[in-house]
Amino acid sequence: MDSIIPIVISALEDIDKGKSLRNVLRFHVNQYKLDREEESTLYYYVHEIYRKLNWIDLFIKTSSSNFSLKKIKSDMRALLRIATHMLKVNNKSVNEVATILEPHYHSIAHISFCTLLELIQSVTEENLYENREDLPSKYSLKYFTYTWIIRKFIKQWGEDFTEKVLQSFLESIPMYVRINILKASFDEITGNLTDYEIKYTPVDTIPDLIRIDETPVPIPRLDEFKDGKLVVQQKASALVSLVLDPQPDEEILDMCASPGGKTSHIVALAGTAKNILAVDLNKERVKILTNRLKLLGAEEVKILSADARNLKTAVKSTFDKILLDPPCSGSGTYSSRPDIKWRIKQRDLNWYIKLQNDLLSEASKLLEVDGCIVYSTCSLFEDENHEIISQFLKNNSNFSLMLASPMIGIPSDLLNNRTQTLYPHIHKTEGFFIARMKKESS
Ligand SMILES: C[S@@+](CC[C@H](N)C(=O)[O-])C[C@H]1O[C@@H](n2cnc3c(N)ncnc32)[C@H](O)[C@@H]1O
């Protein structure tokens, strides 16, 4: 336990600086060559602390007015968060926490560590709820989410459904892996998994996707994963490429492609990479995309580093099918990526919406008549989903909505029951929205 504390502190500091939780965990496991037990302790603390960050921070802020949590050094901020988690979630005593964490403490505002722990311990849950009369403010602490997000959800769905979705963000969703048939057969890989005593269930409707029910070894440690024969991919995400239904002779554009989970799936479904163009704006992410497509046996995909809002000049041709999986708030993924819950502010949402609109508008220009666009996000906010599509259809009368089949999710009556939304508590996957539109001759 003692040796893992500096690593947990370092991971929390990196996430605090804006790095992604997933990347930080992967980096720390590899860098420090953690064994299985250390890895699970690191995952536990980082996930738990980021899941409950507003609640943990409120205990610390309420405990003392002698320092500002924002202004203290990042390692001490991380240490206090671990300490508060141990006191308030693990129900450890002040002495127990002091024994584990004191060696890593440097004075904050000349307060001794034990005094600080006692101050935090003296704050009760009732103290936190003072002046929080309305439901969104109460849910904000009960379900560890910003109030503005809860207000948006309640406006969309009402209180009961919102509570179910918020509850689901506190639970783990199953891990799904796709057998990468570009590199191995379904039978070969599932045979190996059985030999490793991994229990799995094939997913109805999505060929080559299995749900991992029980595994004695983390999937990323398997050779099959390292060799690109297995792709960790959420059920909802794998559904998107099926809705696109790529065919071998079709010209296909993946407009926002990195890290390439859907691109490689499109190649597997089409059975060829030769007509596929994958675009991403971010140079670092283009490198990730290139390496990943190579690992997954899809290196023949053409890759372009460009702003997809302005592709018409760089790409002279048109496409039969376009996948637009644009940047979004990620509000469907809070269960597996709790850090992003705290990153996105209300004002950022408008920036995403503008980007999504601009990308969709460009996609419409690059599409052949009779071709189709599949639009997907891992957001549950209707203004990144239904409203984008409604507005687009209003402004582009030569486009019509097609059924986004195969339908696994809930169809939306806002859009003639043709789009689908997947919810974590119903579909046991990340929250996702998928729409499919056809271009008619004008
Ligand atoms: C949601 S992620 C795509 C995930 C990907 N489709 C997959 O399944 O692996 C959105 C991607 O869009 C890229 N992006 C952001 N703005 C862009 C733009 N203007 N043009 C092209 N790509 C953009 C980001 O760099 C990011 O990699």
Side-chain angles (χ1 to χ4, degrees), residues 233 237-238 240-241 254-264 266 279-286 289 292 304-311 323-328 337 351-352 355 358-359 376-378 432:
Q233 189 173 24
S237 165
V240 173
S241 311
D254 187 352
M255 274 181 104
C256 295
S258 185
K262 296 186 189 70
T263 321
S264 64
I266 293 170
V279 176
D280 206 281
L281 174 66
N282 181 307
K283 289 214 161 47
E284 271 311 302
R285 287 182 65 92
V286 168
L289 175 68
R292 196 159 156 75
L304 181 64
S305 170
D307 186 340
R309 285 171 292 189
N310 194 9
L311 269 190
L323 171 61
L324 174 55
D325 185 39
C328 71
R337 296 160 64 201
W351 182 85
Y352 281 112
L355 178 59
D358 291 348
L359 286 164
S376 64
T377 73
C378 56
F432 244 83

Side-chain angles (χ1 to χ4, degrees), residues 117-296:
L117 294 180
E118 273 156 13
L119 286 170
I120 295 171
Q121 187 69 309
S122 69
V123 178
T124 64
E125 183 107 28
E126 287 74 43
N127 296 144
L128 301 189
Y129 277 88
E130 275 162 27
N131 302 323
R132 285 174 186 261
E133 303 301 333
D134 60 315
L135 191 75
S137 307
K138 284 184 189 153
Y139 275 6
S140 167
L141 284 182
K142 185 171 176 195
Y143 295 110
F144 318 109
T145 307
Y146 279 137
T147 323
W148 70 267
I149 294 176
I150 295 170
R151 286 209 180 91
K152 275 181 88 66
F153 283 165
I154 291 178
K155 198 166 162 215
Q156 289 178 192
W157 306 316
E159 289 168 10
D160 288 351
F161 197 86
T162 296
E163 190 167 15
K164 288 187 182 121
V165 173
L166 292 172
Q167 177 63 42
S168 74
F169 290 145
L170 305 182
E171 291 154 16
S172 306
I173 45 175
M175 172 182 259
Y176 297 85
V177 300
R178 181 166 56 78
I179 315 298
N180 180 17
I181 55 162
L182 299 172
K183 290 198 89 171
S185 74
F186 186 84
D187 290 346
E188 175 196 338
I189 299 300
T190 49
N192 291 357
L193 298 186
T194 306
D195 291 345
Y196 306 146
E197 298 184 359
I198 294 173
K199 298 208 172 75
Y200 64 87
T201 312
V203 175
D204 279 349
T205 320
I206 307 182
D208 303 324
L209 194 75
I210 57 176
R211 188 185 69 217
I212 302 295
D213 298 323
E214 232 181 280
T215 175
V217 46
I219 299 295
R221 290 190 181 228
L222 297 181
D223 285 342
E224 286 77 359
F225 174 82
K226 291 177 191 158
D227 295 343
K229 296 176 177 173
L230 271 183
V231 182
V232 175
Q233 189 173 24
Q234 268 293 309
K235 179 165 80 174
S237 165
L239 180 62
V240 173
S241 311
L242 279 192
V243 174
L244 189 72
D245 188 26
Q247 300 300 317
D249 52 346
E250 288 173 338
E251 295 289 335
I252 295 172
L253 168 65
D254 187 352
M255 274 181 104
C256 295
S258 185
K262 296 186 189 70
T263 321
S264 64
H265 194 192
I266 293 170
V267 177
L269 292 169
T272 172
K274 67 177 192 317
N275 300 329
I276 300 173
L277 174 65
V279 176
D280 206 281
L281 174 66
N282 181 307
K283 289 214 161 47
E284 271 311 302
R285 287 182 65 92
V286 168
K287 268 190 219 153
I288 294 169
L289 175 68
T290 308
N291 292 337
R292 196 159 156 75
L293 291 182
K294 195 166 167 205
L295 173 74
L296 299 180

